[in-house]
Amino acid sequence: MIRFQPMRTIIAFGLTVLLLGGCALWGGGDAGREIDPPPEGANLLPDDEEVEPTMAAASEQMMDVTLYYKDPNGYVTPVSVEIPYTVSAARAVLEHMVEGGPGDALVPEGFTALLPKGTKIQGIDIMNDKLAVVDFSPEFASYNPQDERKIMEAVTWALTQYDTIDKVQFWLNGETLTEMPQDGTPMDEPLTRAMGINLELGEGIELSRSMPVTLYFQSQSEAGDTYFVPVTRMVSRSDDAAEAALQELIRGPISPGLVSVIVPTAKVLNVRHGDDLITVDFNTELLNGEDRASAETLQSVVLSLTDTTGAEQVMITVDGSVQVVGTDDVAYSEPVGRPRHINKLES
């Protein structure tokens, strides 16, 4: 049985959220070693070239990567798995996201790949300006039209897990795509995480007067394991995106199949902004009558704030001074950063 591991190790890993083309807006915990991403400016080789291993033992090494699959409720969801080590990590990630590919055996039951069966990654070029140009084979164009935006989100968020990639451009069989093949979604500019993921519009919100916040709620696999799902919600424009995200996190999900990770009686008492650090003070309801706060609640706060604001670290206190320790034994009253991989799987 494939199960999700709880997140334990928190690693600093900031992200920036911007609004793009009237649409909004990115996930990750390594319990073990970290694998360096491909070097900046690296050119990942096309299919007809091979990488000569420098040592036989390299074939036995594994690395953690985050794939983006569609969960049983239809949400684009990060799933972190171990795959054989390769210098072409970004290429391997996409190959594991193809229907019928090696990723299908790694993800939980009910999760489905978004890239059509038979799709080949004909080449990836990673430029010095952190642009990844991905050339898909003709089979890529055979996807279900209703999955068009999900595919754009999945590919973009999967590739931008690497520090060397900020934006993504799609090619089809050697030609630049200016719009998606099925429903014609425009692709005049490279895609970034600013496009959002699992986009939703808050109740009564006018898009022209809105801003994006990215929230992490939970869902449950068919095996009964819980996992995080990122949702980009358009909310009323505010001068404090961090507080807006926290209020929406407390408000909870508005889309089906998701559950809240924080008690509705929790209140934000104060939000302070520092250099790449956000400090949040909650009332005692955050502890829900316990000595320790739920790790899932605290992790959700960290993930949501780092995604929404781009801050690298978060500190959490209660009533101004109470030291907050999670059920994962992490001291959240000290600066913690987002994990590099979330929804880590174990066999």
Side-chain angles (χ1 to χ4, degrees), residues 141-207:
S142 64
Y143 59 83
N144 189 323
Q146 70 182 18
D147 286 335
E148 183 162 285
R149 182 178 171 87
K150 298 180 192 294
I151 290 170
M152 296 166 66
E153 293 173 1
V155 171
T156 301
W157 283 51
L159 291 181
T160 53
Q161 69 185 275
Y162 297 109
D163 295 338
T164 51
I165 301 174
D166 282 343
K167 48 193 175 181
V168 181
Q169 186 177 70
F170 289 17
W171 283 26
L172 183 61
N173 201 30
E175 299 289 336
T176 305
L177 277 179
T178 58
E179 62 179 31
M180 287 292 282
Q182 293 289 342
D183 268 1
T185 302
M187 301 183 71
D188 298 328
E189 298 290 337
L191 303 175
T192 71
R193 290 184 180 182
M195 73 179 296
I197 189 166
N198 299 316
L199 207 61
E200 63 183 20
L201 188 64
E203 185 177 355
I205 302 300
E206 294 183 30
L207 193 58

Side-chain angles (χ1 to χ4, degrees), residues 43-105:
N43 182 13
L44 303 187
L45 302 175
D47 282 341
D48 57 359
E49 298 185 40
E50 296 180 356
V51 176
E52 190 70 26
T54 57
M55 54 188 296
S59 63
E60 301 173 1
Q61 296 176 354
M62 303 294 285
M63 63 181 181
D64 292 322
V65 299
T66 299
L67 313 178
Y68 281 78
Y69 266 63
K70 184 167 62 174
D71 82 345
N73 295 308
Y75 297 108
V76 181
T77 302
V79 182
S80 296
V81 300
E82 276 196 344
I83 66 172
Y85 176 80
T86 171
V87 294
S88 301
R91 176 203 200 91
V93 164
L94 294 185
E95 290 173 342
H96 279 74
M97 290 167 52
V98 175
E99 180 187 354
D104 284 1

Side-chain angles (χ1 to χ4, degrees), residues 17-36:
V17 178
L18 300 171
L19 187 62
L20 176 65
C23 294
L25 199 96
W26 131 280
D30 281 345
R33 66 191 184 283
E34 278 195 56
I35 301 298
D36 291 334

Side-chain angles (χ1 to χ4, degrees), residues 191-226:
L191 303 175
T192 71
R193 290 184 180 182
M195 73 179 296
I197 189 166
N198 299 316
L199 207 61
E200 63 183 20
L201 188 64
E203 185 177 355
I205 302 300
E206 294 183 30
L207 193 58
S208 61
R209 299 180 180 178
S210 67
M211 70 176 192
V213 294
T214 297
L215 315 170
Y216 281 76
F217 298 116
Q218 285 195 316
S219 191
Q220 192 171 67
S221 71
E222 295 182 3
D225 296 307
T226 57

Side-chain angles (χ1 to χ4, degrees), residues 296-307:
E296 289 77 12
T297 294
L298 299 172
Q299 290 163 2
S300 175
V301 170
V302 172
L303 289 166
S304 300
L305 288 178
T306 53
D307 261 5

